Amino acid sequence: MLRRLLPGVYEGWIVAGTAGLLSMTVAAVFFYGFGTLFNPIREEFGWSAATTALAFSLRAEAQGAAAPLVGTAIDRLGPRRVLVVGVVVSAAGVLLLSLMQALWQFYATMLVLSVGMGAVGGQVGITATATWFRRRRARAIGLVILGPGFAGLFVAGVGALVEGLGWRAALRVLCAIFVVVGVFAALHVRSRPRLHPQPLDGLSDAEGGEEAGAVGVEWGMPLREAWRTRAFLFTSFGQGAAFFASTAVIVHQIPYLESLGIAPAVAAASVAAFTLGSIGGRVGFALIADRYEKRILLAIACAVVVAGMPLLAAAEGLWQASAAIGIVGAGVGGTLPTRPALLADYFGTRHFGAILGLGMTLLTLGAVVSPWMVGWLVDRTGEYTLGWVVCGLVATLSVPLMLFATPPDARGHRRAVSGGGAAPGGPGR
């Protein structure tokens, strides 16, 4: 549709932009937006903070566990088919969640929802986008990743929806919005097909040199070899350590601010602090990651996350807490476009979906533990200080891991194809 309406625009940018729109919707509804449901669900059923947070932890882990299967499906079936399945499963999960009446139903529907989210989230868009770019890969992936960054700006609206309609009716409205955007995205997100008429990166011969005329890139280290390299393991566990801190902040920031005596509506609006910080990190690092060594940039981004955690633990009011949350957001935002671009540089794009998927499984190991851990500490101590300190200590591990993630030897797998190469996903499905 859009490629016919915009024939002069490189299709890779259309794919990246549409994938970013979908990622923004997924994040607004299922990631940031679900924070507004935390207290209403907890109050209705009388559950503890740890019990409620465990469902969010299970969501993260189930999505991570499904990521390798989703990645393999993208490589074999193409992103479009994966997106269609993901939209159906996610919509079913949201509707079931709006009908739940018991704790086991809460956990079960969150697991269903997690699988669907994995098939419509950033993994699909990033994998598809990587096949369209080489020299501008970090910037293009940054466009996909930028979508979820803006999602936090809609949390206040989601909070108003929950407050006005109740959390059950609000979920049904959000489900309808998600289905519309998901169907639109499925029409436009695809891998670069064989013999695509536009040059790689959308660059002319004069702008891109020899690479501009390449029709596709068909090289890549198989997953069975890639997962054993130091580069893969260190970047995965390094970002996982950073996510340990940032995921806990995202899940708990609204109830944390409320614990400081801040009104619920103001606490929901303060999510913009994380959002704006994350947007700045995503844009800034995406613009420079194609020029400088990505490994060093990842270490710097992780160091920013580490710096924000003690500030959050020491916060006594809205502005101090918001500033610390913004710093954490900037750091984790910087890792999001940089690491996928580094993986594509290190391992190629032929098996990129599977490699990215397994990496997501490893990095979510921290995300599944930290929200529950912080909730458990809140139940025991009555405050968030100790939880933020522990998260900061874990995040510290990310900096040296990123620094030692040196490139693997991939010379035997490089095979650039000119005039007929195929990008992952076959003929652009």
Side-chain angles (χ1 to χ4, degrees):
M1 184 188 301
L2 288 180
R3 58 179 178 269
R4 293 191 181 96
L5 294 175
L6 304 170
V9 177
Y10 179 51
E11 188 178 345
W13 293 116
I14 294 176
V15 171
T18 306
L21 173 64
L22 178 60
S23 295
M24 180 182 70
T25 306
V26 171
V29 175
F30 302 135
F31 198 59
Y32 297 105
F34 268 28
T36 64
L37 305 177
F38 191 96
N39 282 338
I41 290 176
R42 182 184 173 190
E43 292 167 2
E44 178 173 329
F45 293 99
W47 297 331
S48 69
T51 298
T52 309
L54 180 59
F56 292 85
S57 297
L58 290 174
R59 176 193 64 179
E61 183 57 24
Q63 187 176 357
L69 298 177
V70 172
T72 300
I74 297 169
D75 290 339
R76 295 182 178 180
L77 303 176
R80 181 168 297 166
R81 294 176 181 175
V82 174
L83 281 178
V84 171
V85 173
V87 169
V88 172
V89 175
S90 297
V94 175
L95 291 178
L96 289 172
L97 187 61
S98 73
L99 299 171
M100 71 159 182
Q101 297 294 337
L103 183 61
W104 73 266
Q105 294 173 345
F106 186 31
Y107 290 163
T109 53
M110 289 294 271
L111 290 175
V112 171
L113 187 56
S114 300
V115 175
M117 287 170 54
V120 295
Q123 180 184 359
V124 181
I126 291 171
T127 302
T129 299
T131 67
W132 292 87
F133 296 90
R134 189 189 304 168
R135 297 185 62 184
R136 295 177 171 178
R137 183 173 286 149
R139 276 169 279 183
I141 292 176
L143 181 59
V144 180
I145 296 298
L146 188 60
F150 283 106
L153 299 178
F154 297 93
V155 172
V158 175
L161 197 63
V162 171
E163 185 175 352
L165 300 179
W167 65 270
R168 296 182 187 273
L171 279 174
R172 294 163 193 155
V173 173
L174 293 172
C175 179
I177 295 172
F178 165 72
V179 169
V180 171
V181 177
V183 171
F184 175 78
L187 296 174
H188 296 92
V189 177
R190 64 171 183 164
S191 296
R192 184 180 171 96
R194 298 175 185 273
L195 302 177
H196 193 275
Q198 293 176 308
L200 194 65
D201 285 280
L203 297 173
S204 65
D205 291 343
E207 294 174 308
E210 294 181 0
E211 292 183 352
V215 178
V217 177
E218 188 184 7
W219 84 270
M221 184 182 294
L223 177 61
R224 63 179 180 273
E225 297 181 28
W227 79 268
R228 291 178 289 184
T229 65
R230 182 170 63 181
F232 175 82
L233 292 173
F234 281 19
T235 58
S236 297
F237 287 116
Q239 190 161 8
F243 273 23
F244 186 95
S246 65
T247 304
V249 171
I250 291 170
V251 172
H252 287 280
Q253 68 180 100
I254 294 177
Y256 166 61
L257 291 171
E258 291 179 11
S259 75
L260 296 179
I262 298 167
V266 177
S270 70
V271 172
F274 187 94
T275 300
L276 293 175
S278 180
I279 291 173
R282 295 169 199 236
V283 172
F285 279 80
L287 290 176
I288 63 176
D290 288 321
R291 301 179 181 179
Y292 302 102
E293 189 172 356
K294 298 177 179 66
R295 174 175 58 88
I296 304 299
L297 294 177
L298 280 170
I300 293 172
C302 290
V304 174
V305 175
V306 174
M309 296 310 299
L311 298 177
L312 187 61
E316 297 180 351
L318 175 63
W319 296 112
Q320 293 173 325
S322 296
I325 290 170
I327 291 172
V328 174
V332 75
T335 69
L336 296 177
T338 309
R339 181 174 171 274
L342 178 141
L343 291 179
D345 291 349
Y346 279 7
F347 303 109
T349 57
R350 190 174 188 182
H351 308 285
F352 186 62
I355 292 172
L356 185 64
L358 181 58
M360 291 182 67
T361 299
L362 297 179
L363 64 87
T364 57
L365 293 176
V368 71
V369 174
S370 62
W372 173 85
M373 181 212 70
V374 172
W376 183 82
L377 289 173
V378 170
D379 291 336
R380 296 299 182 277
T381 66
E383 60 182 17
Y384 281 87
T385 303
L386 182 58
W388 298 145
V389 171
V390 174
C391 287
L393 292 174
V394 173
T396 303
L397 299 173
S398 63
V399 178
L401 286 172
M402 293 303 188
L403 288 175
F404 287 104
T406 52
D409 183 3
R411 289 174 295 179
H413 299 284
R414 292 181 179 272
R415 183 164 62 90
V417 178
S418 179
R429 290 169 292 188

